[in-house]
Amino acid sequence: MALALRVQALARRSSIASGSNVLRRMPLRSYSSSASVDGTLPLEGIRVLDMTRVLAGPYCTQILGDLGADVIKVEHPVRGDDTRAWGPPYANPSIPFEKKNIMLTYLKVNRNKKSLGLSFQHKSGVEILHKLAKECDVLVENYLPGGLKKYGMDYETLKKINPKLIYASITGYGQTGPYSNRAGYDVMVEAEMGLMHITGARDGAPVKVGVAVTDLTTGLYTSNAIMAALIARGRTGKGQHIDACLSDCQVATLSNLASSALISGQKDSGRWGTAHPSIVPYRSYKTQDGDILFGGGNDRLFGVLCDRLGFSEWKTDARFVTNSDRVQHRAEIDGMIESTTVQKTTQQWLDIFEGSGMPYAAVNDIQGTLNHKHVLARDMVTEVDHPACGPIKLVNTPIKYSEAKPGVRTPPPTLGQHTDEILGSVLDYSEADIARLKDEGVLS
């Protein structure tokens, strides 16, 4: 088996050197998931070197891993990814941190990856990374612009080693511009780039979104860009540098509000909570035990709402006949609706509106969401056996394919779990070489 792995690694290096297309047709590498692989996953055969930490970058590479790519996650040999230390909560509080290095923040974006504990403060570590870059199709990093140049891990250096490499850089503010050297976490970019200003109650203070949505959209945009670059490379044979950043992605996802401001030249209308600035009724309303949201997007749907609430006469009230009328009399109709909804429980209203054709929804908490019958029917919660934490439940990948089944093939790894495997099967390092590098503090 070891000989076969070395032959495979040598064949791959030979194909790169010769520019052969054989590289694209090679099967999934031996160190990948032991779960069944049938060749249908869209990114099988693509190898990714993941040099990212925290959320946006790891989320990007997790998407690639879910789609079948072999993702090698490079982590500091002692500390690992920053999020390994972000707790509580802990995946398994009974296991000492030094033995598991697993926090829930880490678990959410690092499945379907292999952990390589490596320090590139050492020259030997950089040599390993250069060899891996030669063997990879994609590299993703989220260091400050120029931060990897001193290690020879910048795009210009690696492009010479592997001209076909797709190199994606994820930063707070991009590779250019006056803020390019500024560090940026999600919440800062939410504030700086408009999202926080439009989020929160109408008369309340600005608030951040409940999840790090700017990080997540940046990860999504970047994974999409990488896949487009892979298609382009199929035509040209060339890799390229992708410059992705939180600030650009946040501006892009201002969507219709940005378009309105650009076209009108007017100041935006601020925060609206769950309401809509130009549609009424379109917000959440209190019930006896929670909240329910109605979307009266047109006059017909408003009529359905009135009928199901038991006040058909509202449909002909001059204040509410058209949407423009209702916008002018927002406070009156919203107050009348809520004085009605508080008289029953959320579930009672759900039953009343079932089959009505009216857009409506309970406002669920997270446990309510994860135990929702539709969420479970769509296979959005899955369980996997973690080597340190035992059985753990994870949110599954959301996109369904007719000819493939992306999903959680392997659990998020423990720190350095696959170091020996990766160096042995990809780079043909001997056991003695690996042991020596561990003694020197290069590997874990």
Side-chain angles (χ1 to χ4, degrees), residues 300-349:
R300 182 187 66 81
L301 291 175
F302 175 67
V304 174
L305 176 66
C306 296
D307 291 340
R308 294 294 172 121
L309 288 175
F311 293 93
S312 298
E313 63 272 20
W314 291 352
K315 294 185 291 184
T316 56
D317 188 312
R319 296 172 296 173
F320 311 134
V321 173
T322 68
N323 182 68
S324 60
D325 295 328
R326 295 190 293 274
V327 169
Q328 291 182 47
H329 298 278
R330 180 190 300 268
E332 294 101 311
I333 188 61
D334 280 343
M336 293 161 68
I337 292 172
E338 189 156 272
S339 67
T340 304
T341 57
V342 293
Q343 297 175 26
K344 296 182 187 295
T345 67
T346 299
Q347 187 58 53
Q348 287 174 322
W349 286 120

Side-chain angles (χ1 to χ4, degrees), residues 29-176:
R29 285 78 180 181
S30 60
Y31 59 85
S32 291
S33 167
S34 59
S36 60
V37 180
D38 59 9
T40 62
L41 292 177
L43 293 184
E44 281 185 42
I46 297 298
R47 180 180 285 148
V48 178
L49 189 59
D50 180 2
M51 297 184 65
T52 67
R53 296 102 54 220
V54 190
L55 183 52
Y59 188 60
C60 165
T61 53
Q62 178 173 274
I63 292 170
L64 303 178
D66 287 354
L67 292 172
D70 296 338
V71 181
I72 300 172
K73 183 176 178 68
V74 179
E75 303 189 67
H76 187 279
V78 178
R79 300 188 302 271
D81 187 306
D82 295 3
T83 59
R84 287 189 184 273
W86 287 7
Y90 307 105
N92 187 338
S94 66
I95 302 174
F97 169 75
E98 63 272 13
K99 291 186 178 181
K100 60 183 172 63
N101 290 111
I102 292 290
M103 306 300 175
L104 294 186
T105 307
Y106 179 86
L107 290 175
K108 68 183 178 184
V109 286
N110 286 292
R111 63 181 180 232
N112 294 331
K113 300 181 185 182
K114 305 295 177 181
S115 175
L116 168 62
L118 179 145
S119 170
F120 45 88
Q121 300 287 341
H122 296 74
K123 182 179 179 181
S124 298
V126 174
E127 290 173 357
I128 290 171
L129 289 177
H130 281 182
K131 291 175 182 178
L132 284 173
K134 188 175 182 180
E135 302 296 327
C136 287
D137 303 287
V138 177
L139 183 150
V140 188
E141 58 90 9
N142 62 348
Y143 290 80
L144 282 173
L148 290 176
K149 187 175 180 62
K150 61 183 176 182
Y151 303 108
M153 288 300 295
D154 56 299
Y155 174 64
E156 292 304 321
T157 299
L158 296 186
K159 179 181 179 181
K160 296 172 185 175
I161 295 172
N162 181 1
K164 294 185 176 182
L165 183 68
I166 293 162
Y167 186 113
S169 297
I170 300 176
T171 58
Y173 297 94
Q175 301 295 306
T176 60

Side-chain angles (χ1 to χ4, degrees), residues 119-259:
S119 170
F120 45 88
Q121 300 287 341
H122 296 74
K123 182 179 179 181
S124 298
V126 174
E127 290 173 357
I128 290 171
L129 289 177
H130 281 182
K131 291 175 182 178
L132 284 173
K134 188 175 182 180
E135 302 296 327
C136 287
D137 303 287
V138 177
L139 183 150
V140 188
E141 58 90 9
N142 62 348
Y143 290 80
L144 282 173
L148 290 176
K149 187 175 180 62
K150 61 183 176 182
Y151 303 108
M153 288 300 295
D154 56 299
Y155 174 64
E156 292 304 321
T157 299
L158 296 186
K159 179 181 179 181
K160 296 172 185 175
I161 295 172
N162 181 1
K164 294 185 176 182
L165 183 68
I166 293 162
Y167 186 113
S169 297
I170 300 176
T171 58
Y173 297 94
Q175 301 295 306
T176 60
Y179 280 17
S180 60
N181 288 316
R182 180 185 286 198
Y185 280 127
D186 174 279
V187 68
M188 287 75 179
V189 178
E190 281 192 42
E192 188 87 18
M193 299 300 163
L195 182 59
M196 195 177 291
H197 168 71
I198 58 173
T199 305
R202 183 66 177 150
D203 299 318
V207 299
K208 70 180 183 66
V209 178
V211 296
V213 66
T214 307
D215 274 331
L216 297 174
T217 54
T218 302
L220 282 164
Y221 269 113
T222 309
S223 66
N224 188 57
I226 288 168
M227 288 184 273
L230 286 168
I231 294 172
R233 189 182 66 179
R235 296 196 309 269
T236 67
K238 297 180 180 179
Q240 59 184 300
H241 187 199
I242 295 169
D243 174 6
C245 65
L246 275 66
S247 60
D248 288 354
C249 292
Q250 181 49 64
V251 172
T253 52
L254 290 174
S255 188
N256 60 302
L257 293 178
S259 295

Side-chain angles (χ1 to χ4, degrees), residues 10-20 23 134 161-162 164:
L10 289 170
R12 179 177 172 86
R13 288 197 287 273
S14 175
S15 70
I16 291 176
S18 64
S20 168
L23 173 62
K134 188 175 182 180
I161 295 172
N162 181 1
K164 294 185 176 182

